[in-house]
Amino acid sequence: MAKSINITLNIWRQKDAKTKGHFETYALKDISTNASFLEMLDILNEQLVKEHKEPIAFDHDCREGICGMCSLYINGHPHGWETEITTCQLHMRKFKDGDVITIEPWRSRAFPVIRDLMVDRSAYDKIMQAGGFVSVNTGGVPDANAIAIPKPIADEAMDSASCIGCGACAAACKNGSAMLFVSAKVSQLALLPQGKAEAAARAKNMVAKMDELGFGNCTNTGACAAECPKGVSLTNIARLNREFLCAKLKD
Amino acid sequence: MSFFLINSSIGRKLVMSISGMFLILFLTFHMCMNLVAIISPEGYNTVCEFLGANWYALVGTAILAGGFIIHILFGLLLSIENRRARGNDRYAVTARPKTVEWASQNMLALGIVILALLGLHLYHFWAKMQFVELQAMAGVEVDSNLLANATNGYGLIEQTFSSPVVVALYLVMLCALWFHISHGFWSSLQSMGLSNSVWLKRIQVISMVYATLLVAGFAVVVIFFFVKSIL
């Protein structure tokens, strides 16, 4: 059932981090509803190149919802309004003929725009470098059943670990807070025996880095979890608060 | 160690949540004492006398004022930081996901409404009761009529809530209070880390129920005396 639609796009254009950005409007005709959202932008870019105009810069990589590279704030929602998908998993069949679609970059002080819809998300990498790991002395590989972990805890750790670090949480938060990301990264290790040894230092260092990089303070609105493409839960934030406060009170 | 309450985001949130819980506790006592006015005028005036310009009531008032000031100052500080963290360019299109409470994104605005009407409330009652007694103690010339009525809280309630404008303003304040606490209560527990996948839903429900009971308790007194005045 091939069908095609005509749409109007309002896209944020910004030459570089220092230049002031603005919206530009593009009309696109005969877009197949089988196309993905990013393919639609590819079509627009091909059209712009043919017209000898500068194509629109946007982030993308695996295009199967796992790398965390694609971003885009689509009609007021990071990764679009559909729940638990990334932008690359959004398809044009979700749109109607004549729709006006506004596409903006993540807007957060800690994620400066590099160009157009592309932002610098290295702040998340810096938080990871501050403690989002287990210091491992590599030796012989232990047997899988050497450390018994109850299934519910293993599942919870796995759910936390499903965070792909795309930045939608900080982008959706009215406070520009990165708490959902940081709490997922702290939780995925704090829940497991291997991660417990460094849990206190990890929570303190990652939160200190998060504050230093200019992310906001969490006020528990829950927009992060509602917009998270991986459905990471708010209970991670409570766990991070607990880990951090206990660590500080022990000092 | 002590600096983390000011220097770290989670520490500042802890101050916000503890001061908020303290204020909720105060409101609970306040509401219970108000209900006495419906049951017994004499009983209510005894409470008023007990909480007049006595040393223990004054210490309590000072601690309470401290709680308010800390909650307001930290609220402003956090709001300013959060606005800055959003960056210079605002989103052109924003949408509130269904699961996000309206109150949670408007706590500052709700707080300002409550603060403004709290000013009115202090003018209506505190300025005519404990403050008058304090002035008299400090040797300031006070109208003898005012001083005589300073512990007649019951009479003051009857007089204040006979005005429909005042009643409407108090109900606006109580509405704002309901929204503020319906989010604030569970948010406070979440910020202290007292939540998990089972309890998150529970504390959210408890928050709604508690805010409703608290605000209903206040509203009943306001409406009771308004109805009494027009009958």
Side-chain angles (χ1 to χ4, degrees):
Chain A
M1 267 269 290
K3 201 186 133 201
S4 59
I5 54 174
N6 299 328
I7 50 171
T8 308
L9 299 167
N10 271 323
I11 297 180
W12 183 259
R13 301 300 308 261
Q14 186 169 338
K15 201 157 170 283
D16 52 49
K18 292 195 180 81
T19 319
K20 186 109 190 79
H22 63 281
F23 278 102
E24 248 172 63
T25 309
Y26 303 93
L28 267 186
K29 290 203 175 355
D30 295 329
I31 293 295
S32 162
T33 51
N34 290 332
S36 77
F37 195 81
L38 293 183
E39 281 165 350
M40 179 273 292
L41 287 177
D42 292 336
I43 294 167
L44 173 62
N45 273 346
E46 278 174 22
Q47 196 176 303
L48 289 176
V49 169
K50 272 185 204 150
E51 293 166 10
H52 302 290
K53 287 180 186 156
E54 197 61 39
I56 297 152
F58 62 92
D59 271 326
H60 58 99
D61 192 10
C62 76
R63 298 207 180 193
E64 56 182 27
I66 198 62
C67 73
M69 203 57 217
C70 58
S71 48
L72 305 187
Y73 213 75
I74 303 160
N75 285 345
H77 294 277
H79 299 296
W81 67 95
E82 286 278 312
T83 49
E84 299 200 17
I85 57 163
T86 54
T87 294
C88 62
Q89 293 170 303
L90 179 65
H91 285 77
M92 296 313 292
R93 59 175 174 267
K94 301 286 181 188
F95 293 89
K96 287 194 293 289
D97 193 45
D99 272 359
V100 178
I101 307 167
T102 304
I103 311 173
E104 300 172 72
W106 286 175
R107 297 193 195 278
S108 176
R109 188 166 62 133
F111 292 154
V113 172
I114 299 169
R115 187 187 183 98
D116 296 339
L117 302 170
M118 224 177 218
V119 298
D120 176 5
R121 280 174 286 180
S122 57
Y124 271 12
D125 298 331
K126 288 177 192 149
I127 295 175
M128 287 305 277
Q129 284 160 6
F133 50 82
V134 172
S135 313
V136 182
N137 290 318
T138 46
V141 180
D143 285 338
N145 61 357
I147 305 170
I149 299 165
K151 177 77 169 123
I153 290 178
D155 284 349
E156 216 174 342
M158 195 65 204
D159 286 345
S160 303
S162 65
C163 166
I164 53 175
C166 66
C169 43
C173 177
K174 81 180 251 291
N175 310 317
S177 166
M179 282 289 276
L180 193 66
F181 166 77
V182 178
S183 67
K185 295 303 176 191
V186 162
S187 291
Q188 69 184 16
L189 298 173
L191 282 163
L192 301 176
Q194 295 90 336
K196 283 215 167 79
E198 294 165 302
R202 180 180 307 115
K204 282 189 286 186
N205 293 340
M206 288 179 83
V207 169
K209 193 47 123 184
M210 170 185 87
D211 292 344
E212 178 199 316
L213 292 169
F215 288 104
N217 307 286
C218 173
T219 65
N220 304 319
T221 69
C224 51
E227 300 286 15
C228 175
K230 297 296 159 186
V232 172
S233 140
L234 283 183
T235 53
N236 287 297
I237 295 183
R239 185 177 299 107
L240 172 60
N241 288 333
R242 205 157 54 230
E243 292 277 337
F244 178 84
L245 292 173
C246 288
K248 282 290 183 189
L249 291 172
K250 264 185 211 144
D251 284 353
Chain B
M1 172 213 129
S2 56
F3 294 115
F4 84 90
L5 289 175
I6 296 165
N7 292 342
S8 73
S9 59
I10 298 180
R12 286 188 292 263
K13 287 290 299 167
L14 181 71
V15 173
M16 206 57 193
S17 57
I18 291 176
S19 58
M21 270 299 173
F22 169 69
L23 295 179
I24 290 178
L25 195 66
F26 155 71
L27 285 176
T28 309
F29 285 124
H30 190 333
M31 188 268 288
C32 293
M33 285 180 234
N34 287 3
L35 289 178
V36 176
I38 294 184
I39 303 161
S40 148
E42 297 79 32
Y44 186 73
N45 279 347
T46 313
V47 171
C48 290
E49 216 178 312
F50 177 68
L51 293 177
N54 308 308
W55 71 266
Y56 43 84
L58 288 175
V59 169
T61 309
I63 294 172
L64 183 61
F68 270 101
I69 289 165
I70 288 172
H71 195 68
I72 291 165
L73 286 183
F74 270 74
L76 285 175
L77 174 74
L78 289 166
S79 301
I80 292 166
E81 281 180 349
N82 289 347
R83 206 176 153 71
R84 252 207 343 233
R86 218 53 272 20
N88 294 325
D89 288 310
R90 308 268 129 190
Y91 286 116
V93 182
T94 51
R96 183 163 56 87
K98 267 184 249 121
T99 51
V100 175
E101 313 154 68
W102 174 82
S104 72
Q105 298 190 315
N106 294 282
M107 290 298 270
L108 179 69
L110 289 166
I112 289 170
V113 171
I114 296 169
L115 181 65
L117 292 168
L118 176 69
L120 186 74
H121 177 54
L122 288 179
Y123 165 74
H124 277 151
F125 291 93
W126 183 73
K128 292 175 188 166
M129 298 176 75
Q130 195 184 62
F131 187 60
V132 169
E133 289 185 82
L134 276 178
Q135 280 180 311
M137 279 165 73
V140 182
E141 281 275 325
V142 201
D143 190 304
S144 59
N145 216 356
L146 267 180
L147 192 57
N149 281 322
T151 53
N152 183 13
Y154 188 81
L156 200 52
I157 291 184
E158 277 187 316
Q159 185 205 328
T160 310
F161 295 133
S162 62
S163 152
V165 178
V166 171
V167 169
L169 284 173
Y170 271 71
L171 291 180
V172 168
M173 168 155 83
L174 291 175
C175 265
L177 198 62
W178 184 86
F179 279 109
H180 200 81
I181 293 176
S182 68
H183 173 71
F185 189 98
W186 79 263
S187 179
S188 162
L189 293 173
Q190 169 92 357
S191 293
M192 293 183 210
L194 302 175
S195 164
N196 59 30
S197 48
V198 177
W199 276 91
L200 179 63
K201 276 270 176 292
R202 290 183 187 170
I203 59 173
Q204 284 174 331
V205 171
I206 294 171
S207 190
M208 287 286 169
V209 172
Y210 200 86
T212 308
L213 287 177
L214 191 67
V215 167
F218 280 116
V220 158
V221 176
V222 174
I223 293 165
F224 177 85
F225 282 97
F226 179 64
V227 171
K228 196 163 169 260
S229 76
I230 53 174
L231 285 181

